[in-house]
Amino acid sequence: MPHGQSQKLKTSFFRKHSLKVGDRITDAAGLTLRETLFPLFLVTILYFLWGFAYGLLDTLNKHFQNTLGITRTRSSGLQAAYFGAYPLASLGYANWVLRKYGYRATFILGLTLYGIGALLMWPAGLKRSFGGFCGATFVIGSGLGTLETAANPYMAVTGPPRHAELRINLAQAVQAIGTVIGPVLGSYVFFKETGDSVAALKNVQWVYLAIAVFVFSLSFVFFFAVIPEVTDADMAQQAEVTHVGDKESDRPFWTQYRVFHAAFAQFCYTGSQVAIAGYFINYVTETRGQTSSALGAKFLAIAQGCFAIGRFSGSLLMRFTKPRYVFLLYLSGVIAFCSASITQRGNIGLAMLNLTLFFESVCFPTIVALGIRGIGRHTKRGAGWIVGGVVGGACVPPILARVADARNSTAFAMIIPVIFFILAYSYALSVNFVPVYRDAVDKTGDSGPGNPVKEGSIREGSLDNETGSTIKEKETV
């Protein structure tokens, strides 16, 4: 290809091209920082979308208890519907589309499902049907589970391997901003004037309609956008470079026990995180005198702000120290402060949960990044299993709600997430102190700006006009 045409393609961000990528080596995993800015910017928008949806869900949980007259246990159906859809996506149709067609097709599928679910919120609001809200939430969860199945590994593998945890934590920090805006919107827009009333549900309908319009528009952007694809062949090649002499990626997928341990940790951690956020307003209104649901939503927004600050601070720490150290430190803080919230009341109890959310911040994305490190051609499949661990968000909240109803104390029920956090702690200990875990996550290859490139080898040049795959051109380094 002539050099001028190559340069033209490199600056073309939008054009019609095939969704199917195949399993050839594209070298997209070796892109430089500048070459990855546009595609990673687009994908980062997706992180904000599911952060906003998650933050909104936590706010609606408490208000549905009041507006629709349901118990804490029944209201956990929202979390069960939302997170119960995740494994169906990450282990089923989304993972199949990801492996068969690639990242861009999976992003479009996820956005389409998200938009359909948002539209279904309208009839659910008209009928004041909690079952309808749960059904719409399930479709939204299917869409967001599809997006997360692709976005997390995409962030981890697009660019230099040594910065994988940093990239995914920064993107998740944007997601955390979305979780702050969700409760703020619920507090100041949905329920400020109307309180826990039927009129407030109409505001919910309009917001979800706006969401549907936005995500459908974004799906068209992804259809025409040119983003690099990272195939299984790419990941196998990268693993050969970063894990020289390590035959781990050559083993069958079902023997990748580190992946399944990471998935278990994700199940336990996410279940606890969702349970705390989902019943945060209940906790505050019960333990802090004269606190309304609307004020509790404001406190939740502050707590989610602590979560966002934790993401940025954790990402900064990872710039100077190994991510596994940060992971161990933060998860230790989660267990300590969540345990303290069981017995504390008033502002002290509220402060304990704020600190819990601060230290929760880096855990989810770091488990994903560490779990898929060095598994080569199994990366997409492994990421599906780890993201599928999010189903813990459908399992743990009902247990917490049941205990809270039985003891009439949400504070006492915080013992449930503490137990699951301790189970997740086994993975943090393993990646720091068990050699077979530690050595695998510490191998990131050369410390240069990208993957090591040998003299006279092929490096990334441009994107093919028809398929969006990379065209390789010779360059002597």
Side-chain angles (χ1 to χ4, degrees), residues 2 22 41 68 73 148 243 247 258 270 278 289 313 320 340 347 400 448:
F41 167 75
L68 303 177
T73 301
E148 200 151 358
H243 292 67
K247 300 300 182 182
R258 290 189 294 108
T270 304
S313 66
F320 303 102
N347 289 332
L400 184 151

Side-chain angles (χ1 to χ4, degrees), residues 156-157 161-162 164-165 232 234-253 256 258-259 368-380 382 386 427 436-445:
V157 303
R162 66 193 179 99
E165 292 85 1
D232 290 342
D234 277 309
M235 296 314 303
Q237 183 189 56
Q238 186 182 92
E240 289 176 3
V241 175
T242 59
H243 292 67
V244 178
D246 189 349
K247 300 300 182 182
E248 185 77 15
S249 63
D250 294 335
R251 294 166 47 199
F253 177 74
Q256 304 289 330
R258 290 189 294 108
V259 171
V368 174
L370 295 179
I372 63 175
R373 175 66 55 75
I375 62 174
R377 61 190 175 91
H378 302 303
T379 297
K380 292 179 180 177
I386 298 172
Y427 184 70
V436 69
Y437 283 76
R438 184 185 62 224
D439 295 346
V441 301
D442 281 349
K443 291 178 180 178
T444 57

Side-chain angles (χ1 to χ4, degrees), residues 217-241:
S217 300
L218 190 59
S219 68
F220 279 101
V221 173
F222 269 95
F223 182 79
F224 291 104
V226 178
I227 65 172
E229 288 284 354
V230 185
T231 66
D232 290 342
D234 277 309
M235 296 314 303
Q237 183 189 56
Q238 186 182 92
E240 289 176 3
V241 175

